[in-house]
Amino acid sequence: MRARTIEISVGAFVLAGLLSVIYLAIQVSGVTAASEKEHYQVLARFDDVAGLRVRGKVSMAGVTIGRIQNIGVDMEWGTAVVTLDIFGQPGNLTTDTSAKILTEGILGARYISLMPGADEEFIQNGAEITDTQGALVLENLIGEFLTNLGES
Amino acid sequence: MGGAIIRLHLTERRQVLTKLSIMSGNLIDIQNLTFRRGERLIFDDLSLSIPRGSITAIMGPSGTGKTTLLKLIGGQEKPEAGQILIDGQDVVRMSRTELLALRKDIGMLFQASALFTDLSVFENVAFPLRVHTSLSEELIRDLVLMKLNAVGLRGARDLMPAELSGGMSRRVALARAIALDPNLIMYDEPFTGQDPIAMGVLVSLIKNLNQALATTSLLVSHDIHETVGIADQIFILADGRVIGSGTPAELRDSDSEMVSQFMHGKPDGPVPFHYPADDYQYDVVAGID
Amino acid sequence: MVLFLRRIGMRAFKFLAALGRASALWWSAMRWLPRLSELNLLIRQIYNVGYLSLVIVVLSAFSIGAVLALQFYTQLARFGAQEAVGVGLALVLLRELGPVVTALLFAGRAGSALTAEIGLMKTTEQLSSMEMMGVDPLRRIVAPRIWAGIISVPILTAIFNTVAIYGGVVVAIDWLGADAGGFWSGMQDVVDWWEDLAKGMFKSLVFAILVTWVAVFQGYDSEPTAEGMAMSTTRTVVISSVLILASDFLLTLVMYGDF
């Protein structure tokens, strides 16, 4: 009898552990089928990606439409190459889409915002977004401001 | 395992018995044993042999390594030099697996009884049967009750070790030690801390079990009176050597000063009353160092 | 001076010897996987070290979650970012507090009990007698306890995290009135199942191994006296706590270090 109680308790304990892990995965980290969502890759070159992180948001009009998959640097040109995972299939972004690095709120995380263009053709898997605007770096801005001040 | 079952049947036990008497000779042969614990020499070139079927007692003052000797025989300690032959096999050179197998044939009664505190009396006795045999639950029950009956505690089978008196837990431990019908039973200070009645019970149990199971018993003790009553043969150890051996009667009349000091319980003699120290007067005068 | 150096040398040797014995113990106990017939031993130990630690883990988790939520809320409310309570809570719990606090509680509750139990078995010659019965105590006593610890601590950690987040929800949403939608979506947006949840669970697995190893070794290696047992249980708690915190730093460095 006592042995049976122990077995049941341990079973309940292990089950509680499993349920907790599932709860943490779904409710807390938001794992859904979405993480396995269909996506394609687009490249974008920026002068400066300071503060941008892998897994950051890619959004359009404030709606998340993708994730930052990789951030690399092209030594030859001295530019950052960011790989974006865009949800869905090629055919939803035009070739003249522009990309901008923005900040959520004042202190929030950096993310990439895409602006739709007006072209007829769509960006294909692995293609590159050419119209980009890098991160605003405060030090650079201040430097520029001071030089302008000196010149005037 | 097979051997254990065979020996359960009384008729066959007789056959084994006669076989034993034919084989006779010594069950244990210890040759030139040297053992050191740290810097201290516990055994110095010790040799002794224990005849099959006998009750042999190892006696000696506390701290002479009597318990250590049992541990050496069981292979729990390794000596520096020498041989310990059980049935012709050298324990010293056995691998861990061989040792574990050998120990199935050895029952040992520990000084602290060493019952498993989380198991009931019944389960304690059943423990060796469960781990070493694949007998049916029914057969295990029969065997356990038989062993408990032999020590007079069949009625206490559902108690937990914490509920037993010292004498009772030692008897349960004895039932557990004989669960697999071992060839050799070793008793480590079985009488220490027992009241006179429990002591009497243990003395007769040891004697009866030795005859009924046709095993060899090795008894470590310093309780002279009880030991002398049951032992066929006694070895007295001191300073890592055997200082006297023989039947109880022979030892009682021994000329050796040391043996007679021990056998008659004299406070001072060759085994000094004082722990080795500087001269007393010198020590007092010297003051604090 | 010479005496001082000598003492340090002696200590170092003692430490190395203990480490050697501990490694030998680990190897001889863990070289077998538990057999099916030994499952009931394992279940019993999971009951002892895991199930019986539930109460303290759940109670601590709830209050820690509640306190964290309260602190986050009062600070974040100044920026009008109350919803970020969820994010902060989840990240702090999953990455650090969950694994570390659970392991510390486990060391105090179950680790010390393991040491005391095995130490007492040694003192009362139960281990010796088992050995003399041809049963390997490393396999019968030590191994199931180590396995039980390795299984239980991650489970306890998961339960701790869940309960702590629930505690945070009670305080932040039910009591202080943060917006539930923002709370959960912000959390789900930022928290990553691999980066935060899985790596946190991995930490707890490492802590589990460290704590049970220390606890079992201290018991097995304890001086068979009342004083020695007291010292061993204390040492279990002290050593495993230090090991948990030190290895947490190393693990964080290796897993999250971005350099």
Side-chain angles (χ1 to χ4, degrees):
Chain A
M1 191 55 216
R2 197 169 137 60
R4 182 48 58 83
T5 331
I6 288 178
E7 280 169 20
I8 292 172
S9 314
V10 170
F13 172 66
V14 174
L15 187 70
L18 286 178
L19 289 179
S20 298
V21 171
I22 294 172
Y23 173 83
L24 291 172
I26 292 177
Q27 181 71 8
V28 176
S29 56
V31 173
T32 45
S35 65
E36 300 299 314
K37 246 193 235 167
E38 209 183 349
H39 59 79
Y40 65 101
Q41 290 189 338
V42 171
L43 300 179
R45 278 173 192 273
F46 293 94
D47 309 336
D48 201 321
V49 292
L52 203 63
R53 298 256 173 234
V54 170
R55 286 189 311 113
K57 275 201 296 191
V58 178
S59 73
M60 182 180 278
V63 181
T64 305
I65 59 161
R67 294 268 168 212
I68 294 165
Q69 202 260 326
N70 186 36
I71 300 174
V73 66
D74 181 345
M75 286 298 204
E76 206 177 325
W77 295 93
T79 54
V81 181
V82 180
T83 312
L84 313 176
D85 279 348
I86 306 292
F87 302 149
Q89 281 187 344
N92 50 11
L93 286 179
T94 56
T95 45
D96 61 345
T97 300
S98 64
K100 213 194 267 184
I101 295 177
L102 296 178
T103 309
E104 267 182 336
I106 306 174
L107 302 167
R110 294 258 156 120
Y111 68 101
I112 292 181
S113 172
L114 299 183
M115 295 289 206
D119 217 326
E120 306 264 299
E121 279 176 49
F122 295 107
I123 293 183
Q124 295 305 309
N125 190 15
E128 197 177 309
I129 294 175
T130 42
D131 184 4
T132 61
Q133 187 183 328
L136 288 180
V137 181
L138 205 56
E139 291 91 325
N140 295 351
L141 283 182
I142 293 170
E144 233 167 84
F145 175 69
L146 287 179
T147 357
N148 288 345
L149 209 65
E151 278 169 4
S152 64
Chain B
M1 180 197 108
I5 299 172
I6 291 169
R7 263 175 280 124
L8 300 173
H9 301 284
L10 261 172
T11 46
E12 285 171 64
R13 164 155 300 137
R14 295 267 179 279
Q15 292 172 359
V16 176
L17 241 178
T18 43
K19 211 188 278 173
L20 278 180
S21 58
I22 293 166
M23 283 160 71
S24 74
N26 297 328
L27 180 68
I28 302 177
D29 261 310
I30 296 176
Q31 292 161 3
N32 312 103
L33 182 73
T34 304
F35 181 78
R36 225 180 268 275
R37 176 162 288 141
E39 293 292 295
R40 221 161 81 86
L41 191 62
I42 307 274
F43 296 121
D44 181 12
D45 203 23
L46 179 83
S47 296
L48 56 84
S49 39
I50 291 154
R52 234 174 258 279
S54 67
I55 298 181
T56 301
I58 311 262
M59 306 191 73
S62 317
T64 43
K66 301 185 299 286
T67 305
T68 310
L69 187 63
L70 295 189
K71 289 199 163 162
L72 281 162
I73 292 173
Q76 286 183 307
E77 305 261 16
K78 292 276 180 210
E80 199 173 282
Q83 283 187 316
I84 300 170
L85 301 173
I86 299 184
D87 256 339
Q89 287 175 288
D90 192 355
V91 177
V92 179
R93 262 166 273 287
M94 278 186 185
S95 71
R96 201 176 162 86
T97 354
E98 284 175 308
L99 272 177
L100 290 179
L102 167 86
R103 289 176 189 154
K104 290 176 202 172
D105 245 3
I106 300 178
M108 178 149 174
L109 184 68
F110 281 83
Q111 201 171 343
S113 296
L115 294 178
F116 303 133
T117 37
D118 54 340
L119 299 178
S120 69
V121 165
F122 181 94
E123 285 302 321
N124 259 288
V125 181
F127 182 86
L129 294 167
R130 287 196 204 284
V131 291
H132 287 313
T133 70
S134 45
L135 299 175
S136 72
E137 195 55 35
E138 250 170 87
L139 202 48
I140 286 182
R141 192 187 124 88
D142 289 350
L143 284 172
V144 170
L145 293 187
M146 195 169 100
K147 303 298 174 191
L148 280 175
N149 199 44
V151 297
L153 289 176
R154 190 162 43 83
R157 61 175 176 265
D158 292 326
L159 297 182
M160 293 305 280
E163 300 169 287
L164 301 175
S165 71
M168 278 159 86
S169 55
R170 211 157 285 191
R171 275 147 74 191
V172 174
L174 184 53
R176 186 179 65 179
I178 58 169
L180 287 171
D181 295 279
N183 272 332
L184 170 67
I185 309 178
M186 302 199 283
Y187 301 89
D188 187 6
E189 302 282 5
F191 310 118
T192 316
Q194 300 292 317
D195 63 68
I197 301 173
M199 206 133 53
V201 170
L202 281 166
V203 167
S204 67
L205 267 177
I206 293 173
K207 204 176 170 71
N208 293 341
L209 284 174
N210 189 65
Q211 281 165 4
L213 300 175
T215 59
T216 309
S217 303
L218 181 56
L219 183 71
V220 153
S221 179
H222 47 223
D223 293 279
I224 297 167
H225 183 72
E226 285 72 25
T227 312
V228 162
I230 50 172
D232 300 321
Q233 187 192 204
I234 297 178
F235 290 97
I236 298 181
L237 299 186
D239 300 331
R241 289 173 295 110
V242 176
I243 55 163
S245 67
T247 62
E250 284 168 5
L251 284 176
R252 216 185 327 245
D253 308 329
S254 167
D255 302 332
S256 159
E257 254 185 279
M258 235 162 161
V259 172
S260 112
Q261 186 197 355
F262 187 79
M263 293 301 281
H264 301 105
K266 296 175 197 157
D268 207 356
V271 177
F273 169 70
H274 287 291
Y275 191 82
D278 291 336
D279 180 61
Y280 186 39
Q281 207 174 4
Y282 173 79
D283 222 2
V284 171
V285 173
I288 301 161
D289 31 40
Chain C
M1 189 61 196
V2 175
L3 208 71
F4 176 69
L5 284 177
R6 214 163 109 183
R7 205 171 293 159
I8 286 188
M10 290 294 275
R11 283 222 152 184
F13 277 131
K14 252 188 186 165
F15 170 75
L16 283 180
L19 192 64
R21 288 199 303 277
S23 309
L25 173 87
W26 176 268
W27 164 245
S28 4
M30 300 305 281
R31 103 185 103 141
W32 307 280
L33 283 171
R35 272 186 305 203
L36 208 59
S37 59
E38 289 165 344
L39 193 67
N40 59 337
L41 293 177
L42 182 63
I43 288 178
R44 181 153 191 128
Q45 291 313 317
I46 294 179
Y47 179 83
N48 282 345
V49 301
Y51 182 80
L52 294 182
S53 309
L54 257 185
V55 174
I56 187 168
V57 163
V58 166
L59 285 180
S60 322
F62 188 85
S63 49
I64 285 177
V67 165
L68 276 182
L70 197 59
Q71 291 283 13
F72 273 127
Y73 189 91
T74 46
Q75 296 306 314
L76 289 169
R78 293 202 282 177
F79 306 105
Q82 293 94 318
E83 277 91 66
V85 169
V87 181
L89 193 65
L91 286 184
V92 165
L93 283 171
L94 293 186
R95 286 184 172 209
E96 290 295 338
L97 280 189
V100 170
V101 174
T102 310
L104 289 175
L105 291 173
F106 183 83
R109 166 68 182 74
S112 55
L114 274 183
T115 304
E117 190 191 17
I118 294 181
L120 200 67
M121 281 184 174
K122 186 180 179 183
T123 314
T124 55
E125 293 181 311
Q126 290 182 48
L127 296 180
S128 280
S129 82
M130 201 170 263
E131 220 169 77
M132 279 307 295
M133 272 181 244
V135 177
D136 188 348
L138 289 178
R139 175 147 204 204
R140 177 107 194 163
I141 300 291
V142 172
R145 282 165 175 75
I146 295 182
W147 281 114
I150 291 177
I151 293 170
S152 297
V153 176
I155 292 180
L156 288 171
T157 303
I159 294 175
F160 182 97
N161 285 335
T162 306
V163 173
I165 284 174
Y166 175 71
V169 167
V170 167
V171 168
I173 298 177
D174 299 349
W175 181 37
L176 296 171
D179 175 48
F183 182 93
W184 289 117
S185 65
M187 194 188 274
Q188 289 168 1
D189 227 24
V190 174
V191 176
D192 183 66
W193 73 273
W194 173 254
E195 200 66 17
D196 302 313
L197 179 58
K199 285 186 176 176
M201 295 305 279
F202 178 75
K203 272 188 181 178
S204 82
L205 189 69
V206 174
F207 299 156
I209 292 171
L210 289 174
V211 175
T212 38
W213 188 13
V214 168
V216 162
F217 171 69
Q218 287 297 341
Y220 206 75
D221 209 48
S222 64
E223 202 72 38
T225 57
E227 202 189 19
M229 297 252 316
M231 263 166 62
S232 291
T233 35
T234 311
R235 249 188 260 139
T236 293
V237 176
V238 172
I239 295 177
S240 42
S241 304
V242 171
L243 278 181
I244 289 167
L245 296 173
S247 66
D248 180 49
F249 179 71
L250 284 179
L251 285 169
T252 309
L253 205 63
V254 170
M255 295 197 300
Y256 298 115
D258 209 10
F259 5 83

